[in-house]
């Protein structure tokens, strides 16, 4: 999905170096990290295996192929990777169809970015079919660009998704603010050279150079993101 992106001089309004905002989806904008875990637990129970919480910390935020491969190896389940991926996507879609709750502060932040015409992209390790389904609840018109995990040879934690999003919006990665909820996503954004706001959903994330950790999106607004990119936080 694409739309007209404001010129660079317009993006730098009010003295900000911020050129674009790039947001993760699951666990960041929408409360679906639990959906993925529920789908994994249900499918593996049907295969005769019980998933402990120790597995959840490994798979959270990861691309489907990596998470599914890990779970097959960890449990010894008798299923191929393509078959498991198909089952997980289908079960997740069933859960999504029951309704997708937004994370606290997500609707306000997206509305503010849209009101100020800040170029905004959705960058997810989820597959395109999942993203398009979730966007029906979030609002596809709020994003100038969306990047799906199955549209790249390498997804998170590699930098490729965020490099693609920045390039698609005509922005320099160093002048992009990224909002992520997992260590995998943070690693991807930082490898791309972006500034990061981490809002941990399942596993704690420590602050670091160029990275701010907050408890909720309710603490994040446009002024906050501009200060992050300007190095004033």
């Amino acid at each position: 999905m694409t739309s007209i992106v404001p010129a660079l001089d317009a993006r730098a309004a009010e003295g900000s170096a911020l050129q674009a905002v790039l947001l993760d989806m699951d666990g960041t904008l929408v409360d679906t990290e639990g959906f993925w875990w529920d789908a994994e637990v249900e499918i593996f129970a049907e295969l005769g295996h019980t998933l402990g919480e120790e597995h959840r910390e490994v798979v959270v935020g990861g691309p489907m192929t990596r998470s599914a491969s890990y779970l097959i190896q960890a449990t010894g389940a008798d299923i191929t990777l393509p078959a498991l991926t198909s089952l997980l996507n289908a079960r997740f879609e069933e859960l999504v169809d029951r309704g997708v709750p937004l994370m606290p502060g997500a609707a306000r932040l997206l509305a503010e970015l849209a009101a100020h015409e800040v170029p905004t992209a959705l960058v997810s390790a989820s597959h395109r079919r999942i993203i398009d389904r979730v966007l029906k609840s979030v609002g596809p018109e709020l994003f100038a660009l969306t990047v799906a995990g199955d549209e790249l040879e390498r997804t998170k934690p590699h930098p490729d998704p965020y490099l693609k999003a920045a390039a698609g919006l005509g922005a320099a990665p160093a002048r992009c603010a990224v909002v992520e909820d997992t260590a995998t996503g943070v690693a991807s954004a930082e490898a791309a050279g972006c500034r990061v706001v981490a809002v941990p959903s399942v596993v704690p994330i420590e602050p670091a150079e160029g990275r701010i950790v907050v408890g909720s999106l309710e603490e994040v607004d446009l002024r906050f993101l501009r200060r992050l990119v300007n190095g004033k936080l």
Side-chain angles (χ1 to χ4, degrees):
M1 171 187 172
T2 57
S3 64
I4 297 175
V5 178
L8 284 178
D9 56 353
R11 299 179 216 172
E14 301 180 26
S16 172
L18 178 68
Q19 291 182 351
V21 176
L22 317 177
L23 302 119
D24 173 54
M25 186 177 76
D26 297 302
T28 298
L29 289 180
V30 290
D31 192 8
T32 51
E33 284 293 2
F35 285 21
W36 280 114
W37 179 242
D38 289 344
E40 289 158 351
V41 168
E42 290 176 11
I43 294 298
F44 273 87
E46 292 167 9
L47 294 171
H49 299 274
T50 300
L51 297 183
E53 283 294 319
E54 68 276 11
H55 297 308
R56 185 177 189 179
E57 295 187 4
V58 177
V59 301
V60 64
M64 170 68 72
T65 52
R66 191 196 73 185
S67 298
S69 294
Y70 164 79
L71 291 173
I72 290 173
Q73 293 175 353
T75 62
D78 184 18
I79 188 171
T80 65
L81 179 59
L84 178 58
T85 298
S86 178
L87 287 175
L88 289 174
N89 273 324
R91 186 62 53 88
F92 182 81
E93 288 175 10
E94 290 176 13
L95 296 173
V96 166
D97 286 343
R98 300 174 193 171
V100 181
L102 269 66
M103 298 296 285
R108 174 201 48 77
L109 176 60
L110 289 171
E112 183 180 16
L113 294 175
H116 287 83
E117 298 186 332
V118 178
T120 303
L122 185 70
V123 184
S124 176
S126 292
H127 289 189
R128 169 58 58 190
R129 59 190 270 197
I130 298 296
I131 290 178
D132 289 345
R133 218 172 187 104
V134 172
L135 278 175
K136 294 177 182 178
S137 296
V138 179
E141 71 282 356
L142 297 172
F143 302 96
L145 176 71
T146 61
V147 177
D150 59 336
E151 296 173 342
L152 297 166
E153 289 188 11
R154 302 191 310 173
T155 187
K156 303 173 185 180
H158 297 287
D160 306 37
Y162 283 107
L163 291 175
K164 179 176 181 178
L169 296 178
R175 295 177 70 178
C176 292
V178 169
V179 186
E180 272 281 1
D181 73 305
T182 68
T184 298
V186 168
S188 173
E190 291 181 343
C194 303
R195 296 278 182 167
V196 179
V197 180
V199 192
S201 60
V202 177
V203 181
I205 299 172
E206 297 298 322
E209 180 67 28
R211 178 200 312 166
I212 300 296
V213 179
V214 299
S216 164
L217 283 182
E218 293 180 323
E219 300 176 44
V220 181
D221 57 14
L222 180 54
R223 181 173 179 271
F224 181 100
L225 297 174
R226 284 174 170 159
R227 292 181 65 200
L228 172 71
V229 170
N230 286 338
K232 295 182 178 180
L233 285 177

